[in-house]
Amino acid sequence: PSPISGKQRLSYLRSRVMSRTELTKKRALVTGAGRGIGRNIATALAAAGAQVVLMARTRSQLETVAREVSDTGGEAAVLPADIGVEGDIRYAIQGFVERFGGIDILVNNAGIVGSDSPVHDLLLDDWERVLDINLKGTFLCSRAAVRHMIPKKSGVIVSMASISGKEGNANMAAYSVSKAGVICFTKSLGKEMLEYGIRVNCVAPALIDSPLLEGMEPERVEFLTSRIPMGRLGQPSEVAATILFIVSDESTFTTGACFDVSGGRATY
Ligand code: NAD
């Protein structure tokens, strides 16, 4: 056989990369998909060919994102639910599986930042609300999803941690602890799921330009931005691009890992 040219090899490699990031026929559930980073994740997955179900509390926001997806030729359905409520999660995941016949990808993105408060002023209610949504919600959604993934021996889960879960930001103890919990939960679940061929990873962004910042004190936003060596906020689309890579077949040898999207802030 005649040797292949450099051009042919390049085109072979290009098509291989394209087909391995292709998500056609994959069924994906994205929590907190009504705005911000989740909205970008949902549209990126849909653009790669996945059927995407958008979950969050506010139906009108989800419908706007679903329209955005369908306007670009993608497919999305909406599922209003509160991820802090166990019954809501069970009902939502069951509904998802009945409608689509299974679940291939879960993105645990929904999260809240909580009050900007030192520990000596932090109310127990605030502490519990942040832990309920960020950590318990991640556990409940993951548990419900893997129960459907295990019999199929395949699936991918990505959860949203944060650089604060590695460093512990001042005045954000509940948030930092919840995200440290997400990182550790990812490692535990990743190990448990090895025998079922299910990959479990998380992402740790530094400050990202999303509506979440509206709930933070301007001085805190300025301080956290100053901690980023690249000297700027990250964009939601930059987080979505990392997640697209993680859920794709380009990332089949990675599980129980935390991917940093931090403009150089993460040092470990
Ligand atoms: P955002 O506030 O813009 O969006 C959060 C989404 O989560 C919204 O759609 C909201 O409706 C949904 N949500 C909140 N509570 C919910 C609940 N109980 N049930 C269902 N949905 C709920 O925030 P974002 O910046 O897009 O953040 C997305 C994720 O990324 C969060 O987990 C956040 O902690 C994490 N994160 C954000 C940043 C940042 O700087 N923006 C940095 C690191 C990590």
Side-chain angles (χ1 to χ4, degrees):
S2 58
I4 60 166
S5 68
K7 230 179 187 171
Q8 282 170 321
R9 175 148 181 76
L10 190 62
S11 116
Y12 162 73
L13 286 174
R14 273 204 187 125
S15 67
R16 188 173 156 271
V17 170
M18 294 303 283
S19 69
R20 286 171 69 85
T21 50
E22 171 79 52
L23 298 177
T24 306
K25 296 210 175 86
K26 299 286 185 193
R27 298 150 296 189
L29 176 62
V30 182
T31 71
R35 62 183 211 182
I37 300 172
R39 176 184 195 160
N40 278 262
I41 296 167
T43 50
L45 295 183
Q51 288 174 313
V52 184
V53 173
L54 316 165
M55 195 206 272
R57 286 164 305 180
T58 318
R59 177 181 279 279
S60 57
Q61 285 185 349
L62 294 177
E63 283 169 349
T64 305
V65 181
R67 263 196 307 279
E68 231 170 70
V69 169
S70 64
D71 285 351
T72 51
E75 211 183 316
V78 305
L79 200 58
D82 186 331
I83 66 152
V85 178
E86 185 179 9
D88 265 29
I89 303 296
R90 214 176 318 115
Y91 178 76
I93 304 257
Q94 193 56 40
F96 180 101
V97 169
E98 275 165 18
R99 177 159 177 192
F100 295 101
I103 175 165
D104 303 298
I105 297 168
L106 168 67
V107 183
N108 288 311
N109 165 74
I112 57 168
V113 75
S115 60
D116 187 321
S117 169
V119 172
H120 59 265
D121 287 334
L122 186 58
L123 301 175
L124 178 60
D125 277 357
D126 283 350
W127 171 272
E128 286 179 343
R129 182 82 185 133
V130 173
L131 277 255
D132 270 1
I133 293 171
N134 296 3
L135 186 54
K136 191 174 85 181
T138 297
F139 155 64
L140 290 173
C141 291
S142 303
R143 187 181 67 175
V146 296
R147 284 176 176 167
H148 295 283
M149 291 171 173
I150 285 171
K152 303 268 167 72
K153 288 200 171 264
S154 80
V156 190
I157 296 178
V158 188
S159 302
M160 195 60 74
S162 162
I163 192 71
S164 64
K166 290 185 165 188
E167 294 196 358
N169 286 338
N171 295 351
M172 296 173 76
Y175 184 76
S176 303
V177 166
S178 73
K179 296 303 187 178
V182 168
I183 295 172
C184 217
F185 178 72
T186 299
K187 292 180 185 294
S188 296
L189 185 63
K191 290 184 181 82
E192 289 176 18
M193 291 299 115
L194 284 170
E195 63 179 294
Y196 304 109
I198 298 164
R199 293 190 300 109
V200 187
N201 293 292
C202 66
V203 171
L207 211 60
I208 305 297
D209 190 5
S210 82
L212 182 113
L213 304 197
E214 289 158 17
M216 294 169 75
E217 299 293 331
E219 301 77 40
R220 179 147 311 280
V221 172
E222 205 175 305
F223 170 70
L224 293 175
T225 309
S226 75
R227 306 271 332 269
I228 300 174
M230 279 191 187
R232 67 168 174 89
L233 294 174
Q235 290 304 310
S237 58
E238 294 176 304
V239 182
T242 304
I243 287 185
L244 195 56
F245 165 73
I246 297 170
V247 302
S248 81
D249 283 350
E250 279 293 89
S251 156
T252 45
F253 199 45
T254 307
T255 195
C258 181
F259 289 73
D260 298 312
V261 191
S262 71
R265 180 170 163 193
T267 51
Y268 76 99

